[in-house]
Amino acid sequence: MNDLYFLIQQMMLFSVPLLVVAIAGMFSERSGVVNIALEGIMIMGAFSGTLFMHLNQTNGGLSGYPLLFASMAIATVTGMVYALFHAFASIEMSADQTISGTALNLFAPAFVIFSARSVIGIQQVNFQNTFLIQSVPLLGDIPIIGRMFFQNAYLSTYLGFLILIIASFVLYKTPFGLRLRSAGENPQATDAAGISVRKIRYAGVLISGALAGLGGLIYIIPVTVTFNADVAGYGFLAIAVLIFGQWKPSRILTSALFFGLLKTISASYSGIQFFFNLNIPQVIYQVIPYVATLIVLVISSKKSQGPKALGEPFDKGKR
């Protein structure tokens, strides 16, 4: 039973960042803009957030949850600003959205390393993790469920599920969500209805950037105390989660939990007696998430139904 509790707790830590970043991609791609820059945006968000923590913890500034909330806000804003470059290239310049996203992915690690060395002298940004919640008051005492979901957890776990609920509501229950989906499916009809496709797509990409930047910090905090310009390919894995989830929040949740479970087995198999006793080489566990990603994408690719206008620059004169 202890192994099951450990597995569930670890799965939450790996699944929630995937959930948040995949939802980030959903907002952009539902508006019609391909966003493969999620990896780069995560790196930028994680860097700004951890650097802020490092500077405050080193110089005696903010601490505790005020520091965590401030760091999250900075990561969110950084992601949004970085995504603005992708939005401008894709919407204003009608650039190839795949190339634009690739450029942002390549630029982010180099910029982060340069900035870290310039500010603190080394490229590794260290911070103290003081944000683990040993037990949520009252909820942590619930039999079975309390130990699974409300002990040894992070605030980011609950924030991820809150983002899922809000994203579902915005997408399906608000006029903005309707316009966002319309811009990604039939931008010409959206424009004919008097709605600015350009503004809607800007909003979609900027929301995407904000959530991806936040997702970068959410990923880093539980797994390490040193950020080294890397998020372990989580941005690319989130794209797989998005495709497997069919660009729908509820399916994205299922997909994120599935990939999070694989990632947990990969990273923590030695702490789970069942998997440890199998005596399978470590490298097999390490490649499981990526092999599974390839298999799932091959199987689901024929059934994937992305937004019809995804990746197509909007041409107002095209009817």
Side-chain angles (χ1 to χ4, degrees), residues 62-83:
L62 291 173
S63 62
Y65 280 101
L67 175 60
L68 178 63
F69 290 132
S71 300
M72 284 182 172
I74 287 175
T76 301
V77 173
T78 301
M80 185 181 293
V81 171
Y82 197 56

Side-chain angles (χ1 to χ4, degrees), residues 88 158 166 186 191 196 207 218 246 263 284 300 310 318:
F88 181 79
Y158 312 118
I166 294 175
N186 195 333
D191 182 67
S196 172
I207 292 172
I218 288 177
Q246 295 287 299
K263 191 73 177 175
I284 300 296
S300 62
L310 181 61
K318 183 181 177 182

Side-chain angles (χ1 to χ4, degrees), residues 2-318:
N2 287 335
D3 283 349
L4 179 61
Y5 290 137
F6 178 76
L7 187 66
I8 297 295
Q9 290 171 353
Q10 292 297 307
M11 186 178 73
M12 289 296 108
L13 299 184
F14 285 109
S15 297
V16 168
L18 278 178
L19 173 67
V20 172
V21 180
I23 288 175
M26 181 195 72
F27 272 101
S28 176
E29 302 207 350
R30 279 286 191 154
S31 75
V33 178
V34 174
N35 191 356
I36 66 167
L38 295 174
E39 178 86 0
I41 298 172
M42 284 184 73
I43 290 173
M44 296 295 282
F47 170 66
S48 62
T50 54
L51 180 64
F52 184 75
M53 284 185 190
H54 171 86
L55 295 175
N56 275 273
Q57 290 172 342
T58 303
N59 300 317
L62 291 173
S63 62
Y65 280 101
L67 175 60
L68 178 63
F69 290 132
S71 300
M72 284 182 172
I74 287 175
T76 301
V77 173
T78 301
M80 185 181 293
V81 171
Y82 197 56
L84 185 60
F85 293 103
H86 185 52
F88 181 79
S90 303
I91 301 168
E92 297 293 344
M93 307 298 291
S94 298
D96 186 301
Q97 296 165 15
T98 303
I99 294 176
S100 171
T102 302
L104 293 179
N105 284 334
L106 294 174
F107 177 78
F111 175 79
V112 164
I113 291 172
F114 172 78
S115 300
R117 286 181 174 174
S118 301
V119 176
I120 60 177
I122 57 175
Q123 71 181 48
Q124 293 85 9
V125 182
N126 300 313
F127 62 95
Q128 298 172 20
N129 185 347
T130 59
F131 312 114
L132 178 66
I133 303 173
Q134 296 291 346
S135 179
V136 178
L138 299 179
L139 297 176
D141 297 329
I142 299 174
I144 301 178
I145 294 177
R147 190 169 174 185
M148 280 186 182
F149 301 106
F150 300 108
Q151 291 185 19
N152 297 320
Y154 284 86
L155 183 66
S156 55
T157 300
Y158 312 118
L159 179 61
F161 286 105
L162 179 62
I163 289 173
L164 172 69
I165 295 170
I166 294 175
S168 300
F169 179 79
V170 169
L171 195 63
Y172 295 117
K173 301 294 182 182
T174 65
F176 172 76
L178 179 63
R179 292 169 183 173
L180 187 81
R181 287 181 284 145
S182 173
E185 294 291 340
N186 195 333
Q188 307 301 337
T190 307
D191 182 67
I195 299 167
S196 172
V197 174
R198 177 175 160 274
K199 290 181 179 177
I200 290 294
R201 288 189 168 180
Y202 260 109
V205 177
L206 293 182
I207 292 172
S208 176
L211 292 178
L214 176 62
L217 186 61
I218 288 177
Y219 168 70
I220 288 297
I221 289 177
V223 300
T224 183
V225 291
T226 300
F227 176 65
N228 192 15
D230 181 34
V231 291
Y234 246 60
F236 299 117
L237 202 55
I239 295 174
V241 169
L242 174 63
I243 296 172
F244 188 45
Q246 295 287 299
W247 293 266
K248 297 176 181 176
S250 59
R251 293 191 180 188
I252 287 175
L253 172 62
T254 304
S255 180
L257 292 175
F258 171 71
F259 283 100
L261 176 62
L262 296 178
K263 191 73 177 175
T264 300
I265 295 173
S266 170
S268 309
Y269 75 94
S270 60
I272 303 171
Q273 201 63 35
F274 172 77
F275 294 110
F276 184 74
N277 291 339
L278 294 177
N279 291 321
I280 296 176
Q282 180 182 3
V283 67
I284 300 296
Y285 286 110
Q286 290 175 336
V287 302
I288 282 178
Y290 305 100
V291 173
T293 301
L294 291 174
I295 294 174
V296 166
L297 287 180
V298 169
I299 294 175
S300 62
S301 60
K302 291 184 178 179
K303 296 181 180 179
S304 293
Q305 295 180 345
K308 292 179 181 177
L310 181 61
E312 296 180 6
F314 175 61
D315 182 356
K316 196 178 181 67
K318 183 181 177 182

